[in-house]
Amino acid sequence: MRHLVTTALAYTNGPLHLGHARSTYIPADIFTRYLKLKGEEVIHIGGTDNHGVPITLTAEKEGVKPIDIVDRYHNAIKADLDSLNICFDNFGRTHSDIHIETAQEFYSKLKENGYIYEKEIEQFYCEKCDMYLADRYVEGICPFCEGEARGDHCEVCGRHLEPTELVNPYCIHCNSKPEIKRTTHYFFKLSAMQDALKEYIENSPEMLEHVKNMALRWIEELHDWDVSRNIKWGVPIPGCDDQVMYVWIEAPIGYVSFTKQLGDIWKSYWLENTDESKISHFIGKDITVHHAVFWPGILKGIGGYKMPNAVVSGGYLTLENKKMSTSKNWVVWVKDFVENFSSDYLRYFFMINAPLNRDTDFSWDDFQKRINTELIDIIGNFTHRTLVFTERKFGSTPIVDLNQLKDEDKKLISKCEDTEKLVDSLIREYNFKDALMEIIHLAKEGNGYFQGMAPWAIKDEERLKEVMYTCSVVLKYIIYLLSSFMPEKTALLLDYMNEELDLKVRGNALKKPKVIFTKVSDEDISRMKENLLKATKKAETKSDEKSKKVKSGEKMDIIDIDYFGNIDLRVGQILEVEEVPRSKKLYKIIADLGDEKRQIVSGLKGAYEAEELVGKKVIIICNLKPAKLCGVESQGMLLAAEDDSIVSLLALDRDLPVGSKIH
């Protein structure tokens, strides 16, 4: 069996932060290292995504060429990955001849097979930036759940969007409101793949369940896909002078083009041979659908290519229980982390903290606690005391007659064998947390055995050899199983044992061991917290300056009194509140307006409990055009004020009857 492991292509607009490492690169590297440890044929393909508007804007701002930005961040990203000991068989870039050629071949084949067609569309155009805006470069409010949304996707309710559906859209580069213009784009007939994609997802046994569920929801509402953009920096569309391929048709082809750089071997991984090779894509949660629906659709449209066996989607990472934000400097960069701590500590912490398919949090206090009281006190304690005691007493690992081992010795060795089988199964299921937990349990058993046997008190040298041999077997298993998770620390342990990375104990002379697992100090943690707060404070200062400009009216649309007079504002009282199914933020509210009752859908979940809303008098826009949010009709809007973390309904300072008109 051959395995092709890929990691999401990092976008070359900045270095990597811890969120990238957790969701994608660390688990993929663990998986790849483990398969290679087992002697299986596996290659790990990665690289960078080099095209798109942000790169051209950065280049213009700095007075350089886009390729200069790509080179800078491609190298920075690779350095970050190297510092985490992420190993690749090839690490490519999408701005390369082989990738551009391969992407154009894919596009031409899709067109030849009848899956590409032209269509006139309405598209946002930013006068200030003098360019058409790709969907990801427009943000606003989701029309279905009132959550913050990008032009292609709502982060809150998960619904696919068209940019022109957004409420209060704005250009993410200059914050101005774009206008709508008509232009001709090229479309991929993805809707024609609906039945084939549904069958593919339902019959992919290795596809993770949460990925299957997300993909199937999207396939139910599958529509054709705009695959061209009115920009210059990108892969040119064959036969078209003024448009390039949209990144989500072009970038995933990098998995193929980067494999091609290894030579003809690429064919044995990608060309259809379903029983001989497996493909696993490791990605972040935000691009799950692109890899489980769009990319397989492209492959089916081309024909003759192997379909991915698994899309391994890593959940979001928050920082100190807050959403990470590079613009607010609420983020920990990989470079800053590895300058202060072992990269193995990060690899351990991320894999033990939560299953990969769940969102998780990075807390400096929790990081310190788990390293010091879990990794060091359990694994570090057992490995160090075994090495120190054995080296001091014998100078080498003792070899004994296995038939003479006692029942308690055999029981622990049997536990090692069972753990190896269980860890193997869990890693192959991408269940890295539970696999690591099994290794910790084995180390706990080892500690219990060591303490119970009390080797320092054993007078019989043969019995002492049996005990320390048993401990050495456990140590060898721990090194072997832990090596994919923590390659640096286990390499040091293996060196002190003077052994090879396998499950054999050879009786070699031991080296004098030193402490390998060092504690994370309070001073280290305090320093990292202070650095984070300083960086955030700088970003907040810039944000405050921007906010003042907005509040002063510099970026507000001025309206006259007649326009305001068209808005029917009235006092209402909330009578009933219930949650909207499948929505994280929405309540369905019944409000009394005096002469009638209205149903209003509002994104207050999380800001208010349902019971505390009942009975409140609120201000309602009554003549708003009805809209459906997550399938529930809303016949008005509640007025509220919002800061970064606080939502407050507008209230009256004197009691007025419901239905009172607001002037």
Side-chain angles (χ1 to χ4, degrees):
M1 178 63 68
R2 290 184 293 270
H3 301 268
L4 174 66
V5 177
T6 76
T7 41
L9 307 188
Y11 193 57
T12 46
N13 65 338
L16 298 182
H17 56 65
L18 297 195
H20 299 120
R22 190 267 174 175
S23 67
T24 304
Y25 301 108
I26 289 175
D29 186 70
I30 291 169
F31 188 68
T32 303
R33 284 176 182 271
Y34 183 77
L35 293 177
K36 288 183 176 182
L37 179 66
K38 301 299 287 186
E40 298 183 32
E41 185 180 337
V42 54
I43 58 174
H44 185 186
I45 299 297
T48 57
D49 175 7
N50 310 140
H51 300 129
V53 175
I55 290 173
T56 60
L57 290 178
T58 302
E60 289 169 5
K61 183 178 179 181
E62 296 186 14
V64 297
K65 296 178 180 178
I67 190 62
D68 297 324
I69 304 300
V70 168
D71 288 342
R72 179 198 307 167
Y73 288 119
H74 175 87
N75 294 332
I77 289 165
K78 186 59 169 66
D80 285 339
L81 293 168
D82 289 344
S83 73
L84 293 173
N85 289 308
I86 311 296
C87 297
F88 295 92
D89 292 275
N90 187 45
F91 191 78
R93 55 171 74 192
T94 57
H95 196 72
S96 61
D97 291 342
I98 191 168
H99 175 73
I100 292 171
E101 178 184 342
T102 303
Q104 290 180 329
E105 287 175 357
F106 266 59
Y107 183 91
S108 297
K109 187 66 175 178
L110 286 173
K111 188 173 183 180
E112 178 186 326
N113 290 347
Y115 290 108
I116 299 291
Y117 65 92
E118 293 183 29
K119 179 182 175 183
E120 192 176 64
I121 66 163
E122 290 184 336
Q123 187 176 3
F124 277 126
Y125 182 85
C126 179
E127 288 284 356
K128 188 171 182 179
C129 296
D130 189 24
M131 67 177 185
Y132 284 97
L133 299 178
D135 46 21
R136 285 227 174 182
Y137 308 134
V138 184
E139 294 184 357
I141 303 300
C142 174
F144 300 98
C145 75
E146 298 183 5
E148 293 181 4
R150 298 193 306 252
D152 65 340
H153 177 68
C154 176
E155 296 286 353
V156 179
C157 69
R159 197 180 185 95
H160 175 77
L161 299 173
E162 295 297 330
T164 51
E165 291 182 293
L166 291 176
V167 178
N168 297 329
Y170 62 89
C171 169
I172 65 168
H173 306 302
C174 68
N175 293 319
S176 63
K177 184 176 181 179
E179 62 177 290
I180 294 177
K181 287 189 175 183
R182 298 195 71 81
T183 185
T184 298
H185 273 206
Y186 296 88
F187 279 73
F188 171 41
K189 200 180 292 182
L190 188 62
S191 60
M193 305 285 184
Q194 190 167 36
D195 292 339
L197 286 172
K198 184 176 181 182
E199 181 182 2
Y200 156 67
I201 291 293
E202 290 178 340
N203 293 285
S204 295
E206 294 184 43
M207 196 72 70
L208 302 186
E209 200 62 30
H210 71 285
V211 173
K212 277 189 174 185
N213 293 337
M214 190 181 295
L216 290 171
R217 285 198 300 270
W218 275 64
I219 290 170
E220 286 178 5
E221 301 180 26
L222 207 59
H223 57 80
D224 294 347
W225 190 23
D226 186 346
V227 294
S228 63
R229 293 296 182 266
N230 299 83
I231 56 177
K232 295 181 179 179
W233 179 250
V235 175
I237 290 178
C240 179
D241 297 329
D242 61 349
Q243 293 187 45
V244 298
M245 294 183 199
Y246 176 42
V247 66
W248 280 115
I249 190 174
E250 169 243 315
I253 298 170
Y255 300 138
V256 177
S257 63
F258 299 167
T259 313
K260 280 185 176 182
Q261 291 179 309
L262 297 176
D264 284 344
I265 191 175
W266 79 273
K267 296 176 183 177
S268 63
Y269 288 96
W270 279 108
L271 299 186
E272 222 165 40
N273 51 356
T274 54
D275 295 329
E276 297 177 14
S277 67
K278 288 185 178 181
I279 298 174
S280 301
H281 293 311
F282 283 77
I283 58 162
K285 182 178 179 178
D286 58 328
I287 53 175
T288 301
V289 173
H290 302 84
H291 284 76
V293 179
F294 298 166
W295 172 231
I298 293 170
L299 292 172
K300 283 192 173 291
I302 297 295
Y305 274 78
K306 174 93 172 81
M307 301 291 285
N309 296 81
V311 174
V312 187
S313 171
Y316 294 127
L317 180 73
T318 54
L319 175 58
E320 303 289 356
N321 290 312
K322 286 170 59 178
K323 182 179 179 181
M324 286 203 293
S325 169
T326 55
S327 63
K328 296 179 180 178
N329 278 340
W330 190 253
V331 67
V332 177
W333 302 105
V334 166
K335 184 175 184 293
D336 292 335
F337 182 94
V338 297
E339 285 177 352
N340 292 275
F341 306 100
S342 166
S343 62
D344 274 5
Y345 284 1
L346 187 68
R347 293 169 69 106
Y348 173 86
F349 178 78
F350 276 152
M351 293 303 98
I352 201 66
N353 213 33
L356 193 61
N357 62 350
R358 292 185 191 169
D359 299 343
T360 189
D361 183 62
F362 182 88
S363 157
W364 282 115
D365 288 337
D366 194 30
F367 167 73
Q368 180 188 29
K369 181 180 178 182
R370 297 207 81 147
I371 296 300
N372 290 351
T373 64
E374 187 175 80
L375 174 63
I376 293 176
D377 286 355
I378 299 173
I379 292 178
N381 183 47
F382 175 75
T383 57
H384 186 69
R385 71 201 304 200
T386 296
L387 283 170
V388 169
F389 193 91
T390 309
E391 192 275 334
R392 188 170 69 243
K393 285 291 184 181
F394 303 110
S396 62
T397 305
I399 298 298
V400 300
D401 183 350
L402 301 184
N403 294 320
Q404 297 302 312
L405 293 177
K406 308 299 183 286
D407 288 344
E408 56 266 35
D409 310 333
K410 293 177 181 178
K411 181 180 178 182
L412 185 54
I413 291 174
S414 178
K415 169 71 175 176
C416 291
E417 294 166 351
D418 291 343
T419 298
E420 190 272 330
K421 292 175 185 175
L422 187 52
V423 168
D424 181 82
S425 175
L426 290 167
I427 288 180
R428 292 179 189 278
E429 295 169 0
Y430 314 104
N431 189 345
F432 304 107
K433 175 182 169 62
D434 286 353
L436 193 48
M437 284 299 302
E438 291 300 325
I439 301 171
I440 293 171
H441 291 326
L442 179 60
K444 280 184 178 179
E445 295 264 2
N447 275 316
Y449 174 87
F450 191 102
Q451 197 66 27
M453 292 296 104
W456 55 87
I458 297 176
K459 304 300 183 184
D460 182 344
E461 185 166 331
E462 287 306 312
R463 179 58 189 147
L464 182 58
K465 285 183 178 180
E466 292 168 358
V467 168
M468 296 319 298
Y469 169 81
T470 302
C471 288
S472 297
V473 170
V474 178
L475 175 57
K476 198 72 191 291
Y477 269 84
I478 288 173
I479 293 172
Y480 180 83
L481 296 174
L482 193 62
S483 63
S484 302
F485 293 88
M486 304 183 73
E488 284 187 352
K489 299 295 185 184
T490 51
L492 288 171
L493 288 170
L494 200 64
D495 183 55
Y496 289 144
M497 279 197 88
N498 194 20
E499 280 278 7
E500 298 176 25
L501 188 55
D502 55 24
L503 295 173
K504 237 176 128 177
V505 175
R506 295 171 175 80
N508 295 336
L510 298 171
K511 296 182 180 180
K512 191 171 183 64
K514 298 177 182 177
V515 174
I516 292 175
F517 297 93
T518 56
K519 293 211 169 194
V520 176
S521 70
D522 293 342
E523 292 76 13
D524 288 337
I525 295 301
S526 295
R527 185 179 66 255
M528 300 310 291
K529 287 180 178 178
E530 288 171 9
N531 291 343
L532 179 60
L533 291 175
K534 285 177 184 177
T536 306
K537 191 172 182 180
K538 285 183 181 179
E540 285 177 349
T541 301
K542 291 181 180 179
S543 178
D544 288 344
E545 291 172 356
K546 179 179 176 181
S547 179
K548 286 176 183 176
K549 289 180 181 179
V550 173
K551 289 178 181 178
S552 69
E554 288 183 31
K555 292 190 178 181
M556 290 183 180
D557 292 331
I558 304 301
I559 64 173
D560 58 32
I561 191 67
D562 292 333
Y563 185 94
F564 178 76
N566 290 329
I567 303 173
D568 186 3
L569 296 170
R570 301 194 181 218
V571 176
Q573 186 168 29
I574 297 176
L575 302 177
E576 302 173 20
V577 181
E578 63 180 76
E579 296 184 3
V580 174
R582 297 181 295 107
S583 170
K584 295 180 180 179
K585 294 187 70 175
L586 297 184
Y587 283 133
K588 182 175 76 172
I589 294 170
I590 304 299
D592 183 6
L593 287 170
D595 57 351
E596 64 172 313
K597 292 181 176 61
R598 289 282 188 95
Q599 176 175 289
I600 298 170
V601 180
S602 186
L604 293 172
K605 195 194 302 183
Y608 289 90
E609 296 296 329
E611 53 268 21
E612 68 177 307
L613 288 173
V614 176
K616 275 187 179 293
K617 285 191 175 179
V618 291
I619 298 172
I620 300 174
I621 302 178
C622 295
N623 61 340
L624 200 64
K625 182 180 178 181
K628 280 195 173 181
L629 307 181
C630 284
V632 181
E633 186 175 60
S634 181
Q635 302 162 341
M637 181 182 290
L638 306 184
L639 294 188
E642 182 174 6
D643 197 359
D644 286 341
S645 58
I646 299 173
V647 175
S648 177
L649 283 166
L650 269 62
L652 304 169
D653 67 351
R654 296 182 184 178
D655 193 26
L656 290 174
V658 294
S660 296
K661 190 168 177 61
I662 296 169
H663 302 283

